[in-house]
Amino acid sequence: MISILVVDDECSMRDFLSILLTKEGYKVTTAPDAQTALKKLDSADYELLITDNRMPGISGLELLATVKEQRPELPVVMITAFTSPEDAVLAMKNGAFDYISKPFNVDEIKSVIASATRNTSQNAPTENLSEAFPNIIGTSKEMLRVFDLVRRVAPTPANVLIYGESGTGKELVAQAIHNHSKVAANPFVPITCSAIPEELMESELFGHIKGSFTGAIHDKKGLFQEAEGGTAFLDEIGELTPIIQTKLLRVLQEREIKPVGSHRIQQINVRFIAATNRILEEEISAGRFREDLFYRLAVVPIRLPSLRERKGDVPLLVDYFLKKYSTLLGKEVREISSYALQILMNYDFPGNVRELENIIERGVALEGSNIILPENLTLPQNQAALEQEAKASNNTGFTTVTNEEELLDIGLEQVLARIEKQLIRHALVETNNSKMKAAELLKISFRSLRYKVKKYSIDAPSTK
Ligand SMILES: Nc1ncnc2c1ncn2[C@@H]1O[C@H](COP(=O)(O)OP(=O)(O)OP(=O)(O)O)[C@@H](O)[C@H]1O
Ligand SMILES: [Mg+2]
């Protein structure tokens, strides 16, 4: 039985809600003020808190703030007077799931409460945090905070807004929320808002009926219908045009859609997760994003830290991607040299985890041995550093590794092999690819050169 705590200083309101909700099959407990409510929240589990705002002592908004801090997964529905819409906006701003307005409309109450308690879990999962998300790597406190939020919000029906720079893992986290939700068996439908032209948006999202416009030869389900019972992932939400923003707001408020060309309204039961790499507050100030839509979407906001803020996770991520790509590419590159890792630790990753992943993938693809070396890292800053080094080493045209730590890491045999390879390539270039002359230059026999060229599979270098 779903358990609800109702907080109101007016006895008649408590009685009214108590009778109504008990009749609907909920288990109802009441409290006359916020203080009592907090005590009750401590001593028993509730799936929903309904609270009045204006009460003597602690206000409903203050109660909301405390609850959001202590138990962000608990949905809170605020009661506001019809005459004070600013309370409602404030409530949504502070993380309320929704609000109901006085005087009460029974149907409204029922529908808000039904959706607030849908899918809420009786008992929160207790798995170890980072183990619960094997494909999201990180043990920094910034990431543990993310895991904790994801774990708590996943089983609730609350809409989530994930924001952070490009490549920080927003889609990965959205998928994780869905996978840990009560509707994991139902569809997860990613929708890239920026990829759909405005004139097609409505029909793409809400569907259309046959004949509603030229080209509509069949009835077509929209993406929101496809997501029925599951999760719609609205990616790049900051790119939505004002008209679509208004339509989406209506969907979130009414939980219903009208396919293009249809007069029939359809109820939808979809959880929304949105993502953006824009700062939506700035978009709101600039008048480009609707504030009311923002609060509907960002019931629980999750900020993903940039990789710069959690450099400590770089070695773990490198390890993870080394394994991933050496398996994928059928290679044995399982290590990174300490100097190469040091270069990565000093890099600021404007492209975040995606950029690191690409760097390691390229490194693995290009490396012939089992270790990633500085020159296998193709990153802008490294490029500059390597060029500098090349200049410093007397313009020989090839870079040398000068750090002894680095050399020990690689091992003597490999170091010698590298030098051999570089010198042979250099000699071949100098001699216009004549093995005879190159051997002379290298002061080794022709046979020995031919053997080494084969051993290191040195291709004929492009000549000058
Ligand atoms: N913590 C992480 N652990 C492992 N892989 C990660 C992590 N974060 C991101 N990735 C990987 O980095 C790549 C980019 O992640 P994702 O697509 O989720 O980023 P995004 O934030 O949605 O970026 P954008 O804003 O550019 O769309 C993906 O291949 C993803 O698997
Ligand atoms: Mg993305």
Side-chain angles (χ1 to χ4, degrees):
M1 205 175 189
I2 292 174
S3 180
I4 301 179
L5 178 60
V6 173
V7 194
D8 201 311
D9 56 323
E10 264 178 73
C11 180
S12 60
M13 285 297 165
R14 291 198 301 271
D15 288 348
F16 169 76
L17 285 171
S18 193
I19 292 165
L20 173 73
L21 297 177
T22 307
K23 234 171 64 194
E24 286 294 302
Y26 298 104
K27 180 171 173 238
V28 184
T29 309
T30 62
D33 55 63
Q35 226 130 17
T36 316
L38 286 170
K39 275 200 205 107
K40 288 191 191 260
L41 283 172
D42 267 344
S43 57
D45 267 343
Y46 297 95
E47 275 79 48
L48 174 67
L49 172 67
I50 303 178
T51 178
D52 190 20
N53 183 20
R54 298 183 189 190
M55 300 183 285
I58 304 174
S59 76
L61 275 174
E62 287 164 323
L63 175 62
L64 171 65
T66 312
V67 169
K68 282 290 128 185
E69 227 164 72
Q70 294 173 354
R71 292 190 53 191
E73 79 285 5
L74 177 69
V76 178
V77 168
M78 296 280 290
I79 302 170
T80 65
F82 187 58
T83 48
S84 52
E86 60 278 6
D87 281 357
V89 172
L90 260 179
M92 295 305 284
K93 216 175 199 160
N94 286 285
F97 178 80
D98 211 331
Y99 56 86
I100 47 185
S101 33
K102 278 191 282 196
F104 290 141
N105 166 337
V106 172
D107 287 335
E108 184 195 352
I109 297 179
K110 284 187 196 164
S111 109
V112 166
I113 288 170
S115 72
T117 53
R118 195 181 296 135
N119 311 324
T120 49
S121 67
Q122 206 77 19
N123 34 357
T126 53
E127 317 142 89
N128 178 314
L129 275 185
S130 47
E131 270 169 28
F133 307 100
N135 64 338
I136 309 180
I137 306 304
T139 52
S140 56
K141 64 175 194 311
E142 290 81 2
M143 283 311 285
L144 291 183
R145 219 192 123 252
V146 170
F147 292 144
D148 182 47
L149 265 173
V150 168
R151 184 183 56 81
R152 288 194 292 181
V153 75
T156 77
N159 293 341
V160 179
L161 175 73
I162 306 168
Y163 64 105
E165 292 176 17
S166 182
T168 47
K170 295 185 289 296
E171 180 147 10
L172 210 54
V173 167
Q175 182 80 59
I177 294 175
H178 175 75
N179 292 348
H180 283 72
S181 76
K182 298 285 159 201
V183 295
N186 298 337
F188 174 81
V189 179
I191 303 168
T192 307
C193 299
S194 59
I196 306 172
E198 166 151 30
E199 62 278 14
L200 290 184
M201 188 66 97
E202 227 181 313
S203 110
E204 285 290 315
L205 296 182
F206 311 149
H208 62 245
I209 59 166
K210 182 177 157 182
S212 53
F213 54 88
T214 333
I217 41 176
H218 301 291
D219 285 5
K220 184 174 163 287
K221 266 193 184 180
L223 291 164
F224 286 0
Q225 287 110 312
E226 304 276 357
E228 178 64 23
T231 306
F233 174 50
L234 300 168
D235 202 2
E236 302 184 26
I237 192 84
E239 321 296 314
L240 282 185
T241 61
I243 294 172
I244 301 297
Q245 286 180 32
T246 307
K247 297 207 155 131
L248 180 59
L249 175 67
R250 205 166 305 140
V251 173
L252 293 182
Q253 275 170 340
E254 317 295 339
R255 299 180 181 88
E256 55 192 30
I257 56 172
K258 209 171 73 182
V260 175
S262 166
H263 297 292
R264 266 209 16 246
I265 283 174
Q266 296 176 7
Q267 298 289 322
I268 57 161
N269 171 21
V270 172
R271 196 243 195 117
F272 290 94
I273 302 179
T276 179
N277 51 22
R278 297 199 188 186
I279 309 291
L280 283 187
E281 281 86 344
E282 282 173 12
E283 300 297 303
I284 292 168
S285 312
R288 288 189 294 263
F289 202 85
R290 288 189 69 126
E291 190 173 18
D292 41 10
L293 177 58
F294 173 76
Y295 294 119
R296 287 275 169 187
L297 290 171
V299 174
V300 178
I302 299 181
R303 175 180 174 277
L304 293 193
S306 67
L307 191 50
R308 284 185 298 294
E309 293 166 70
R310 54 179 192 107
K311 276 294 182 60
D313 285 339
V314 168
L316 272 183
L317 282 160
V318 167
D319 244 26
Y320 176 75
F321 291 134
L322 275 178
K323 283 206 191 80
K324 175 172 168 183
Y325 286 102
S326 59
T327 307
L328 221 62
L329 302 172
K331 293 218 173 184
E332 280 299 318
V333 192
R334 294 292 160 124
E335 267 183 276
I336 184 161
S337 80
S338 61
Y339 188 38
L341 186 59
Q342 202 178 313
I343 291 176
L344 290 178
M345 294 299 277
N346 287 327
Y347 182 57
D348 64 5
F349 294 103
N352 294 295
V353 182
R354 179 183 292 116
E355 186 176 11
L356 175 59
E357 180 169 4
N358 290 340
I359 290 169
I360 300 299
E361 181 183 6
R362 270 199 303 269
V364 171
L366 298 177
E367 182 47 56
S369 72
N370 60 357
I371 186 163
I372 299 266
L373 300 169
E375 57 263 53
N376 301 128
L377 304 175
T378 40
L379 61 172
Q381 284 172 16
N382 190 43
Q383 215 52 45
L386 286 175
E387 272 159 27
Q388 200 87 60
E389 238 178 75
K391 273 212 191 98
S393 62
N394 268 337
N395 286 323
T396 47
F398 55 92
T399 58
T400 47
V401 189
T402 47
N403 180 317
E404 274 82 17
E405 287 291 306
E406 168 68 11
L407 295 181
L408 285 179
D409 250 2
I410 307 170
L412 185 59
E413 216 153 293
Q414 288 247 17
V415 171
L416 294 178
R418 304 187 66 83
I419 294 175
E420 268 192 336
K421 254 197 277 187
Q422 284 178 326
L423 264 182
I424 291 172
R425 225 180 249 131
H426 185 66
L428 286 170
V429 173
E430 287 298 311
T431 58
N432 230 343
N433 231 350
S434 152
K435 287 203 185 80
M436 203 66 129
K437 285 185 190 152
E440 220 167 276
L441 204 62
L442 292 163
K443 304 189 178 67
I444 56 173
S445 72
F446 174 75
R447 280 179 55 160
S448 156
L449 176 66
R450 201 178 51 186
Y451 168 76
K452 287 179 199 292
V453 164
K454 203 162 168 211
K455 173 174 161 198
Y456 298 131
S457 32
I458 296 174
D459 305 322
S462 52
T463 48
K464 333 200 242 189

